[in-house]
Amino acid sequence: MKQQLVIYNTLSRKKETFEPLHAPMVGMYVCGPTVYGDPHLGHARPAITFDILFRYLKHLGYKVRYVRNITDVGHLEHDADDGDDKIAKKARLEQLEPMEVAQYYTNRFHEAMKELNVLPPSIEPHATGHIIEQEQLVKEILDNGYAYESNGSIYFDIEKYNKKYHYGILSGRNLDDVINHSRELDGVGEKRNQVDFALWKKAQPEHIMRWPSPWSDGFPGWHCECTAMGRKYLGSEFDIHGGGMDLIFPHHECEIAQAVASQGKPMVKYWMHNNMITVNGQKMGKSLGNFITLEQFFTGNHESLEQAYSPMTIRFFILSAHYRGTVDFSNDALKASEKGLARLMGGIADIERMQISKESDKEVAEFVAGLRQRCYDAMNDDLQSPIVISCLFEACRIINMVNDHKLHISEADKKELSETMHLFAFDLLGLKEEKSGSNDAREEAYGKVVDMVLALRNKAKANKDWGTCDEIRDALKEAGFEVKDTKDGCVWKLNA
């Protein structure tokens, strides 16, 4: 059955059927990190959200070009047009070249993404590698009359743009009052209106990241890079632009204005935004100082953490909520995710232990027949990963009942159940087993020992030595092994 994906478009504020501009080709651009510090939980959410979309679009048969940028210049401290460049400031503090800082934290970001099983994008352009394209964008906006020069810097003229177009179309803001109020500040600073934003900034003498341009030695404004690089690699119109909800204004609003001002038409068809990771209701972020790095989660080395949490626990935690809903950090929530992940991985592993019957019971047959489409329906409804997970948990219940000999399953249904669970858990949700080779060897050794002990228990049972039977079972239970006697023999599993 052909699957019809529906996604929420921030621009229209409603769910829309996904229809690519040039099927089967899909162009997707996602705002990547500003590389001046270690990646934290807030970075993990958009990376995982759009990794799921990337995986699913490819599964549906689309040929996806996924572009995710690296911001290594132009992102000023206050996300506006003042303060130091975040990377340059870090370089000064650590007495390094700015590109040393950018490269180091880019590497750290890549390492964390690999741990989280996030697929690399098709193209990962750096802002510093596309200065020429950004200068060209600025020139086009100037030539079209929607920007002006001031003391060697170039600013976007929002008042003029707003007369023909609508600055605020994405965020829903009405900036007429703000523009009128800002007239009172004329002559203060370089801008005509305080809401105007920088396309190119003239570098001060102490500024260490600078490039020549027709206007001054300087650097591009933060908003320019995504418009310039998106157009370079995906064309003047492409399908999806994604990022965190905190980027809707001003970053993505400015991107829309830049595209329209330079080429006379919008560049993006669908705007998608994930919600934030919060700590006590406040956005987690470097600028707020309330972040926990991914490495700290993986090691447990942070005062707010009660223990270490594996990369797949973090991924499962993020997928347990819909991408447009908030996720509030807590140790209890992460521990619940750890248990949920163990339950799911255990259920998938237990498929191999299911004994085949000639026919499936009606409950099993009906469940297996509908499972795949139920999971597809959830994915097609704006990537409802929590519903997919709940379906997979239902499958775990069926698997346990078959292994407890309370239900029966046919060979065909077992195969379909296994394929469906592997498809959605591993291929589409991107979960994976985290056992290392050494752990596999250790568990195999444990298994041989337990089997040997249970063989001794079977001998005791044959001799009607019930006391020894119970003693062995209780000792294994205390060690974390669950032992069940069935009509077909004894089965065991290691509880997580």
Side-chain angles (χ1 to χ4, degrees), residues 287-331:
S287 59
L288 298 171
N290 64 349
F291 66 94
I292 304 174
T293 70
L294 291 171
E295 183 180 45
Q296 287 169 328
F297 275 104
F298 301 159
T299 62
N301 186 25
H302 190 278
E303 60 183 10
S304 299
L305 299 175
E306 295 176 8
Q307 64 179 68
Y309 298 99
S310 73
M312 285 304 101
T313 297
I314 298 298
R315 188 174 180 109
F316 190 86
F317 168 66
I318 289 172
L319 293 175
S320 295
H322 186 248
Y323 77 89
R324 288 193 289 114
T326 57
V327 175
D328 199 52
F329 157 77
S330 72
N331 281 281

Side-chain angles (χ1 to χ4, degrees), residues 252-268:
H252 288 165
E253 197 75 75
C254 292
E255 280 197 59
I256 291 175
Q258 289 171 160
V260 173
S262 64
Q263 63 185 30
K265 60 183 179 181
M267 196 160 63
V268 178

Side-chain angles (χ1 to χ4, degrees), residues 465-492:
D465 183 357
W466 309 121
T468 300
C469 284
D470 292 344
E471 186 178 348
I472 292 174
R473 182 197 62 208
D474 293 343
L476 286 171
K477 182 178 180 181
E478 190 174 339
F481 295 92
E482 183 179 340
V483 177
K484 288 185 179 181
D485 291 305
T486 72
K487 65 180 182 180
D488 298 313
C490 182
V491 296
W492 64 272

Side-chain angles (χ1 to χ4, degrees), residues 149-182:
E149 183 175 355
S150 179
N151 298 326
S153 293
I154 308 297
Y155 292 97
F156 192 95
D157 192 337
I158 286 182
E159 183 176 20
K160 186 168 183 181
Y161 176 84
N162 221 40
K163 288 178 180 177
K164 184 174 182 180
Y165 305 106
H166 178 201
Y167 183 82
I169 190 171
L170 185 67
S171 60
R173 300 192 182 201
N174 185 343
L175 295 183
D176 286 341
D177 293 337
V178 179
I179 291 170
N180 291 333
H181 174 70
S182 73

